[in-house]
Amino acid sequence: MSSKGGGTALTRRNYRLASDTDKPKATGIVNEKLLSDYLHHVFPSTKQGPALASLRKPLGFQDLGAHLERLLSEGEPTEESRDQPIEGRLGPQTVVLDHTSGFEGLLFVDDDLLGVIGHSNFSSIRATTCVYKGKWAYEVLISSQGLMQIGWCTLNCRFNQEEGVGDTPDSYAYDGNRVRKWNVTTTNYGKSWAAGDIVSCLIDLDEGTITFCLNGQSLGIAFTNIKMGPGIAYFPAISLSFKESVAFNFGSRPLRYPVEGYLPLQNPPTTDLVKAQKLLGYIKTVLSTTIDTQEDKLVEKECSAWRLHGEPTVLVTLAHIFNHFAPLMCKVYLVEDVLMSFLLGILEGGGSVDEHPLIQQLLDLFWLLMEDYEVNECLKQLMMSLLRAYRFSPIIPDLGFQIHYLRLTTAILRHEKSRKYLLSNVLFDVLRSVVFFYIKTPLRVKEAGLEELIPTTWWPTRFDKEGKDEREPKDESACERLRRRAYERGCQRLKKRIEVVEELQVQILRLLLNNKDKETGEASRYIFLNKFRKFLQENASNRGHPTALCPPEYMVCFLHRLITAVRTYWDEGKRKSPGSINSEEGYVPPQLFYNGKVDYFDLQRLGGLLSHLKKTLKDDLASKANIIIDPAEIQATSMDDLDEDEESGAAQRPFGAAAMGGALARPSWLSSPTLGRANRFLSTAAVSLMTPRRPLAPPEKVKVRTLAVEQRTEEDIEGSHGNDGLLLGRPLEEPDQPIAEKSLLEIVDGIVMMYNLSVHQQLGKMVVVSDDVHEYAVALKDTEEKIARCPARRPDILEELQKSQKVFAEKLNHLSRRLAWINATIYSKEKMLDVYWLLRVCIRTIEHADNTGSLFAFAPEFYLNVAMNAYSALKNYFSPANSMEELPGYEETLTQLAAILAKHFADPRIVGTDIKDSLMQALASYVCYPQSLRAVERIPEEQRVAMMRNLLAPYEQRPWAQTNWILVRLWRGCGFGYRYTRLPHLLKTKPEDANLPSLQKPCPSLLLQRHMAELLSMDKDMAASFLNSVLNQLNWAFSEFIGMIQEIQQAAERPERNFVDTRQLKVCATCFDLSVSLLRVLEMTVTLVPEIFLDWSRPSAELLLRRLAQLLNQVLNRVTAERNLFDRVVNLRLPGLESVDHYPILVAVTGILVRILVDGERQGISQAASVLLSDPCFQLHSIQHLLGEGGESSGATTVTVPSVPPVVGPLGPAVAPPLPSAPGATGPADRKHFSLHAYTDYISEEEERKVERMLAFLTEESKQAAASTAPTSEEDLCPICYAHSISAIFKPCSHKSCKACINQHLMNNKDCFFCKATITGVEDYSKPVSS
């Protein structure tokens, strides 16, 4: 940084030369006497008393070097005393982890040999130094709160993948995850630890005790009488499970919580420390002294007002000091203990960082008077110390520590040169700087001071029968209202404190996103952008090194701060250029996805692999976006190239790509020889050499540079005259208006990717606390009710209940305070608005990309994923604290998202099966909730009709279960007895989660039903193929179900106890649910478009009706037969088969029968009746069974078969045989028949009357049919089904069958049953009279 004044260009090297050659009487404008006074004032000699001040020797610059050396050497220990080892310790002076021989299992050890990550089941490692006498301490910084055992062990301890520190006789450990201490046996000890805590491990080998402290608070003596004596020495040691991580401090940095009487294992650098403190004292004196040349005297003043004005006297004095000070500032211990404490002291008084310009002046001084490598090392160590201090500070009520360290970080990053150095080399390369944007959640509420901040706790107390909180403010008692309001006030106080920290974090990001600091090279924003992209790449790659992955809890906070900072800059830019759009309307233009300027690594595109898209869509790119892809590049990215060796691959690549080494900088973890092929693929598939064509200009071809992420400059990103930068290749559909600075667009794109990587998953994880509050609240309410009901004669029960009540209340007090913290940091209104903004950005981005037609295939999949996930998060995670309905423009957003789901779930441009499934599931859950269903109804009519057409596509060759479920949801609430939310027999059981889509109240859509009816009645071919496929799937699903329950029943009847695989039970229940939902879709079709089955002028109507009758009869016979398989399995009540019951399937069948036999027109009813009765499977008593009629012969049991309760073992539930009952014991009185009459809450009286009419009608019809049926000879029966008479003859081969068989066969196959000749026609056949 250039400064004012003339003498500023002095570095240490040329200063020495100058001071030895020139010895003027006065330096600059300061006379000799004044200079001597000044130097004596700055460097006072400790031996001279004030009385000798008048006699002291004049001091000038020529003598200053020697004078300073003498002052610094005072009090230094002699060489001999320095090298003497301390008694009681063996091993190297510098203590690190023994990565050569002292470990077991797989571990990652950091470069400084102090950090460690477990990479196998249970790995152990010890330090290089041991102790046998005296009192010693070391600290462990807990980075993850999982399973670890930390402590001491001897050399004899042998660890393995199961046994670690504390599991062998001579090792002792503390485990804060399970809150226990270990020495072969284990007992409760200490407190639970959390990420960000510091554990101190103390050993006293004079008394034979081991103690542990957590964040400086002693947990008490853990072990006494530990083994001591000759040959016994203790090493610091740790055992940790997979992916757990810690960092050790043996004394290489100052201990955070030193304990009196205990020494750190590594000696502090005492001599250097004394020197550094002295030199810092001299610097402070220089800062607080000015030379008044007019008055010829020295003036004391405030340190903070000091400015670097280039006064030669001051600068030369400082250069002398820095000669000694600079080398010391490269040492970790001194940076943390001396420099960081000094800088924090400057900011101590509070006030904004701008009010403390001294730090900027000091950093100028550092860059001026220290060698570059020294400043670099010093800044790196300073940032590392700050980050560590921030991360491992305990949380106190005002978050004072966190604020303190963030303010200093902000002050340092305000210094332009330092900021750019740190951004380029430290923040993302050496540090996990994302930690600066994280606010950790306190696990121990009391220590964090939340009890003082939120003295009154509150939780919901009223629940409906589904377990949901149904507190209405008007129902609250006055006492409850007071408590709730006091709790809310406490939450507000907490939120205000957290907002102070968040504001500082946003300030830091605003500094990193500064794009105006171009005087000293590239602006900070562009350095940040390239580092940010690399950070995303490390996290997006599943093959990434676990140390490179950023923990999701950090990602969440980073995302929110980044959104705030980016939106601030975006809106500032909008104010400067009114033509652009504001951040509220922001989106990412589609050019980014195909012009190759932004690297999406190997992330999946909607249309498949990038190399494939470039080949197939190159003409579209040329015509729509004026981008020509170099044919050589397509050659290079072709899959065949991958099998060749590296050299030939490189030779075929175009020159630009070879020179740049591909667009993807190769991460270190990809350089393994075994990943050679993937490696080549990554580096070539991302290369994109594109040539823009200027419209209406001669076709000159300009090669676009393809650059690695690190090599992009501001011009590549923002563009310049005639160059669109990141937005090259604008399609005609895109409006030609500026959106925002292009660098911001790329950051927004990165934010969306971050949300997809791990933020959404973490948001879902943190909901657990609110679920726990809910569960404990229900349990407490239940216990209080039991106490109220407890009889006075049972004081023992009362005592137990009161104990439980106390435990639940304590737990709730703790959890409700923790929840307040989580609601403030993760689920606050502001965070909700951030996620909502992201949702809207994704929706607009998808809409713009969709407008580009075939180029939509280039859009990355994660945009659709984030749109669906962000909506799900807003709906499920942020409530009940914040409601989605309150969001601005909420209904419009719902409709836009509905349009996206409706359009793209069957979009041929999307090829990935996972993303297609996700879209289908999102649409399926969308139609379950009234608000989102209404949004689907609000989308334009042509889109609604197209959606219904896609839902009605034949079920073969596509995943049909989800689309069938969507149709069922649109119908639920209209069908026969189909108004239930949960099945009648499951009402008493607790729902897993009342928010599940399947547990929502029915909300049918009459509008979409109307579209479906119109489509099916207009398009006869589609109707026939759709219903044919539904009937095929029903046939398959029900047959599979019956096959499975046969296996389950066989297992139940074996005398030995058998285990049924849980997975088999789940598949069985799924097949049953599918059968019911397919029946409901048939009921819906029969109700909406009865003519498909009953208007026999339609070509396939009769066939469909026959198939329908056949399937309904099969289902009825299987489910209603006497003492049948279905009954017996239902009565076993196996866990996993809860949904399998008579009601859902029989009611669905009844709905179809009632519609075709009672509600139709007369002609249709008689056709339906004749088809049903002519089916050979028809049995009247199956219909009688529906109303519990049919006497003893037809009554099937639904309840009474007694059975041994199933036992769930390691393989699943065991099936026990039903207990044999005494002969004749099950008389009609004990037997309870299934009857629709029993379900008065579910079936209306009118529906019951219809069933009675249907039964009477069928009874009458079957009597008439029996009377009029003439016996048929066997030769006249169809040789395929033996159920109907021959009625069709095939051309040209003249084979015969009934019409039903041949029609059904021709729907799927054109070959003759018998001779495999291709059938060209079918004619009616009637038997000649003569025969």
Side-chain angles (χ1 to χ4, degrees), residues 94 139 210 289 590 717 736 1182 1203 1316:
T94 304
E139 287 180 345
I210 289 177
T289 312
I717 294 167
D736 186 11
S1182 296
S1203 60
K1316 300 297 176 208

PDB file of all heavy atoms in Angstrom, residues 94 139 210 289 590 717 736 1182 1203 1316:
ATOM      1  N   THR A  94       9.413 -30.596  20.295  1.00  0.00           N
ATOM      2  CA  THR A  94       8.150 -30.265  19.617  1.00  0.00           C
ATOM      3  C   THR A  94       7.265 -31.495  19.673  1.00  0.00           C
ATOM      4  O   THR A  94       7.607 -32.538  19.111  1.00  0.00           O
ATOM      5  CB  THR A  94       8.421 -29.882  18.152  1.00  0.00           C
ATOM      6  OG1 THR A  94       9.368 -28.809  18.157  1.00  0.00           O
ATOM      7  CG2 THR A  94       7.144 -29.442  17.465  1.00  0.00           C
ATOM      8  N   GLU A 139      -4.474 -29.851  25.538  1.00  0.00           N
ATOM      9  CA  GLU A 139      -5.869 -29.549  25.195  1.00  0.00           C
ATOM     10  C   GLU A 139      -6.260 -30.223  23.885  1.00  0.00           C
ATOM     11  O   GLU A 139      -5.434 -30.379  22.976  1.00  0.00           O
ATOM     12  CB  GLU A 139      -6.070 -28.035  25.035  1.00  0.00           C
ATOM     13  CG  GLU A 139      -6.051 -27.307  26.354  1.00  0.00           C
ATOM     14  CD  GLU A 139      -6.252 -25.804  26.233  1.00  0.00           C
ATOM     15  OE1 GLU A 139      -6.126 -25.244  25.116  1.00  0.00           O
ATOM     16  OE2 GLU A 139      -6.512 -25.175  27.265  1.00  0.00           O
ATOM     17  N   ILE A 210      -5.766 -38.397  37.446  1.00  0.00           N
ATOM     18  CA  ILE A 210      -6.052 -37.841  36.105  1.00  0.00           C
ATOM     19  C   ILE A 210      -7.372 -37.078  36.210  1.00  0.00           C
ATOM     20  O   ILE A 210      -8.343 -37.581  36.783  1.00  0.00           O
ATOM     21  CB  ILE A 210      -6.163 -38.966  35.056  1.00  0.00           C
ATOM     22  CG1 ILE A 210      -4.773 -39.563  34.782  1.00  0.00           C
ATOM     23  CG2 ILE A 210      -6.779 -38.447  33.761  1.00  0.00           C
ATOM     24  CD1 ILE A 210      -4.765 -40.719  33.820  1.00  0.00           C
ATOM     25  N   THR A 289       3.841   8.495  20.783  1.00  0.00           N
ATOM     26  CA  THR A 289       4.722   9.664  20.965  1.00  0.00           C
ATOM     27  C   THR A 289       4.842  10.437  19.660  1.00  0.00           C
ATOM     28  O   THR A 289       5.059   9.829  18.611  1.00  0.00           O
ATOM     29  CB  THR A 289       6.145   9.187  21.381  1.00  0.00           C
ATOM     30  OG1 THR A 289       6.004   8.248  22.435  1.00  0.00           O
ATOM     31  CG2 THR A 289       7.007  10.357  21.818  1.00  0.00           C
ATOM     32  N   PRO A 590     -30.273 -18.546 -19.040  1.00  0.00           N
ATOM     33  CA  PRO A 590     -29.960 -19.899 -19.533  1.00  0.00           C
ATOM     34  C   PRO A 590     -28.619 -20.013 -20.255  1.00  0.00           C
ATOM     35  O   PRO A 590     -28.084 -21.094 -20.367  1.00  0.00           O
ATOM     36  CB  PRO A 590     -31.124 -20.199 -20.490  1.00  0.00           C
ATOM     37  CG  PRO A 590     -31.758 -18.895 -20.796  1.00  0.00           C
ATOM     38  CD  PRO A 590     -31.500 -18.002 -19.650  1.00  0.00           C
ATOM     39  N   ILE A 717     -15.442 -12.625 -17.011  1.00  0.00           N
ATOM     40  CA  ILE A 717     -16.692 -12.782 -16.262  1.00  0.00           C
ATOM     41  C   ILE A 717     -17.690 -11.678 -16.627  1.00  0.00           C
ATOM     42  O   ILE A 717     -18.802 -11.949 -17.059  1.00  0.00           O
ATOM     43  CB  ILE A 717     -16.396 -12.772 -14.742  1.00  0.00           C
ATOM     44  CG1 ILE A 717     -15.572 -14.018 -14.383  1.00  0.00           C
ATOM     45  CG2 ILE A 717     -17.684 -12.748 -13.930  1.00  0.00           C
ATOM     46  CD1 ILE A 717     -14.945 -13.988 -13.023  1.00  0.00           C
ATOM     47  N   ASP A 736     -33.461  -8.660 -23.974  1.00  0.00           N
ATOM     48  CA  ASP A 736     -32.141  -8.032 -24.064  1.00  0.00           C
ATOM     49  C   ASP A 736     -32.065  -6.867 -23.084  1.00  0.00           C
ATOM     50  O   ASP A 736     -32.102  -5.710 -23.459  1.00  0.00           O
ATOM     51  CB  ASP A 736     -31.911  -7.549 -25.499  1.00  0.00           C
ATOM     52  CG  ASP A 736     -30.493  -7.009 -25.674  1.00  0.00           C
ATOM     53  OD1 ASP A 736     -29.683  -7.226 -24.748  1.00  0.00           O
ATOM     54  OD2 ASP A 736     -30.204  -6.381 -26.706  1.00  0.00           O
ATOM     55  N   SER A1182     -70.507 -63.958  -2.648  1.00  0.00           N
ATOM     56  CA  SER A1182     -69.452 -62.938  -2.456  1.00  0.00           C
ATOM     57  C   SER A1182     -70.077 -61.556  -2.317  1.00  0.00           C
ATOM     58  O   SER A1182     -69.609 -60.717  -1.551  1.00  0.00           O
ATOM     59  CB  SER A1182     -68.503 -62.920  -3.654  1.00  0.00           C
ATOM     60  OG  SER A1182     -67.829 -64.139  -3.743  1.00  0.00           O
ATOM     61  N   SER A1203     -54.642 -65.610  17.875  1.00  0.00           N
ATOM     62  CA  SER A1203     -53.301 -65.966  17.417  1.00  0.00           C
ATOM     63  C   SER A1203     -52.275 -65.524  18.438  1.00  0.00           C
ATOM     64  O   SER A1203     -52.491 -64.591  19.190  1.00  0.00           O
ATOM     65  CB  SER A1203     -53.025 -65.276  16.091  1.00  0.00           C
ATOM     66  OG  SER A1203     -53.100 -63.903  16.272  1.00  0.00           O
ATOM     67  N   LYS A1316     -49.428 -69.110 -34.731  1.00  0.00           N
ATOM     68  CA  LYS A1316     -48.501 -67.974 -34.766  1.00  0.00           C
ATOM     69  C   LYS A1316     -48.520 -67.195 -36.079  1.00  0.00           C
ATOM     70  O   LYS A1316     -47.636 -66.387 -36.354  1.00  0.00           O
ATOM     71  CB  LYS A1316     -47.042 -68.408 -34.472  1.00  0.00           C
ATOM     72  CG  LYS A1316     -46.841 -69.057 -33.133  1.00  0.00           C
ATOM     73  CD  LYS A1316     -47.171 -68.096 -32.008  1.00  0.00           C
ATOM     74  CE  LYS A1316     -47.076 -68.747 -30.640  1.00  0.00           C
ATOM     75  NZ  LYS A1316     -47.960 -68.131 -29.665  1.00  0.00           N
TER      76      LYS A1316
END
